[in-house]
Amino acid sequence: MKRPFLYLMGALFMVTVALIGCSSDSNGDGGSGDTSEQDTLIYGRGADATRLDPARVTDGESLKVTQQIMETLVNFTPGTTDLEPGLATEWDQSEDGKTYTFELRENVTFQDGSDFDADAVVYNFERWQNGSDEDNFAYYPSMFGGFGDDSVIEDVEAVDDHTVEVHLRTPFAPFLKNLAMTPFAIGSPDAFEEKGDDFANEPVGTGPFEFSEWEKDSKIVLEKNEDYWDEDKPKLESIIFQVIPDNSSRLNALKNGEIDLMDGTNPSDVASIEENEELEIWNRPPLNLGYLGFNVEEEPFDDPEVREALSHAVDKEALVEAFYAGNGEGAKNPMPPTIDGYNDEIEDYEYDIDKAKEKLADAGYPDGFEMELWTMDNPRPYLPQPEKIAEAVQSSFGEAGVDVEIQTYEWSTYIEKVTDGESPAFFMGWTGDNGDADNFLYSLLDEDAIGSNNMARYANDDVHELLKDAQTETDDDKRMDYYMEAQEIIHEDAPWIPLVYAEEPLAGNADLQDYEPNPTGSEPFDEVSFK
């Protein structure tokens, strides 16, 4: 029923991209035609942003854009999850681990001309802390334990114009890495007050690029911030984030010079791209996984025996070969092996259809059952062909006697519905925000994150206690032990079927300079230019 509409929309998208490409090539401001004068980067991607208020989103498409507009107190060093100064030039931690003092960068203004200072930082912290799930402040509770008095952050104080103290209720090991995440970028208090909910459509920060235009489901245009505090940045005059839903269409646009950089590269296309002298491949350092989640509040997925049975019905190695061109590995834990604390001693549920049938019978379903399996309509780094992967799992579950109906939704609708617990079973994935185990296990599977990133709605008191203990543990070895034990319990409860740890190839114009993909899934473009 949806295909004619999707085909029409795809044609419209390609016309839009072609027009942009022709315009850019003719005047030297974008595309790949006249690289000697090119100062516009056109980034092709599979889906649009949902909002441009980073504190109120969880999707990477929104955060890719807002990272260019708004800045955090501390940054990730390019290409890593190590920390370096951002809007704070230095920081200290008290001996008891409960107070952080930040010295702020001076002579910085927001893009609306208002001053960046300690009061602005306090305003942003209080906005996050006093938010709510209903306001879509999903990241704050999953990173800092909750809103208000439930938050690990007790209060934030402006000591003077350029000094801020953050007081914690308890030591909190992932605090600094959490602050480096784009959802905790600092926005203009004046703009928040003036725009209200419209801030999500017209964000104002201190970043190297400022918001210019948004054509929903088509493109977002950012322009150089002429008053940026670092006079040597940015190198580009503008960035266009262009939506092209289909991977192959996006690659054609790149080959035709209509875009300059793209994500969602089909793994099977990498070899041919590498042979093209005008193009280049960048591999994002792996920090992700794709998974099939069960809504554990709905029958029959409230029964761990059912979830375990279906875990035996997925051939992960076949998925890697068929849809990732071997550029990945089958997953067994809810965090990738590149993260400290990964439990490699856990034995995965082996692919065995007979065992799946046997366990379904033990759970009271000798004849199987009917179910819905939801997936998104656009490719993600961890699910490069989501609908085809869903069909493969549909077939595999069918062999075990489970009749699967696939439901597909547009990305922003999909995110909202799955977060709200409307899906019985679903495909999802996660690209780590900061390289810490807390960002996977606590963010995705702790009871505090139900209603935000814990889309399986999984709650286990023992897991919760282990993850909270890990947050306050100052001995790193003990902290890793907590995560190892938590993974054992999660494996037994099987709220997910972890599928693949994927390598994400990105393709672009070979004339791009100083582009360095970050493991977190997005990176600033302030250093990027063209030869």
Side-chain angles (χ1 to χ4, degrees), residues 251 254-255 265-283 327 503 505-508 510:
L251 179 57
L254 177 65
K255 290 178 177 179
T265 305
N266 288 327
S268 57
D269 290 328
V270 169
S272 65
I273 294 171
E274 290 178 330
E275 293 173 358
N276 188 327
E277 293 182 355
E278 295 182 355
L279 302 180
E280 186 168 341
I281 287 287
W282 292 265
N283 286 307
N327 294 319
E503 294 180 10
L506 300 103

Side-chain angles (χ1 to χ4, degrees), residues 91 131 240 410:
W91 52 88
I240 298 173
E410 175 271 331

Side-chain angles (χ1 to χ4, degrees), residues 100 143 152 170-175 178 335 339-341 436-443 446 448 461-487 490:
Y100 285 84
M143 295 294 104
V152 70
T170 181
F172 190 67
F175 178 69
N178 286 358
M335 56 187 272
I339 299 285
D340 288 344
D436 195 279
D438 180 82
N439 182 242
F440 280 85
L441 301 183
Y442 181 77
S443 298
D446 190 83
D448 287 344
D461 290 342
D462 292 335
V463 169
H464 177 69
E465 183 176 349
L466 286 165
L467 296 181
K468 297 299 284 186
D469 286 345
Q471 289 178 338
T472 59
E473 179 55 64
T474 57
D475 184 307
D476 202 49
D477 288 338
K478 290 182 180 178
R479 188 168 179 247
M480 296 305 110
D481 287 342
Y482 290 136
Y483 290 131
M484 301 271 278
E485 186 175 349
Q487 287 167 82
I490 293 167

Side-chain angles (χ1 to χ4, degrees), residues 70-76 83-91 100-105 116-118 120-122 124-125 128 156 164-166 175-176 178-181 184-186 206:
M70 297 167 65
E71 298 177 294
T72 47
L73 294 180
V74 292
N75 290 338
F76 293 120
L83 297 178
E84 67 178 16
L87 287 175
T89 57
E90 57 184 273
W91 52 88
Y100 285 84
T101 303
F102 295 91
E103 299 298 330
L104 304 182
R105 196 174 296 278
F116 166 76
D117 56 18
V121 173
V122 172
N124 278 264
F125 270 89
W128 305 327
V156 184
V164 171
E165 283 188 357
V166 180
F175 178 69
L176 286 174
N178 286 358
L179 280 190
M181 294 163 46
F184 307 114
I186 305 298
T206 62

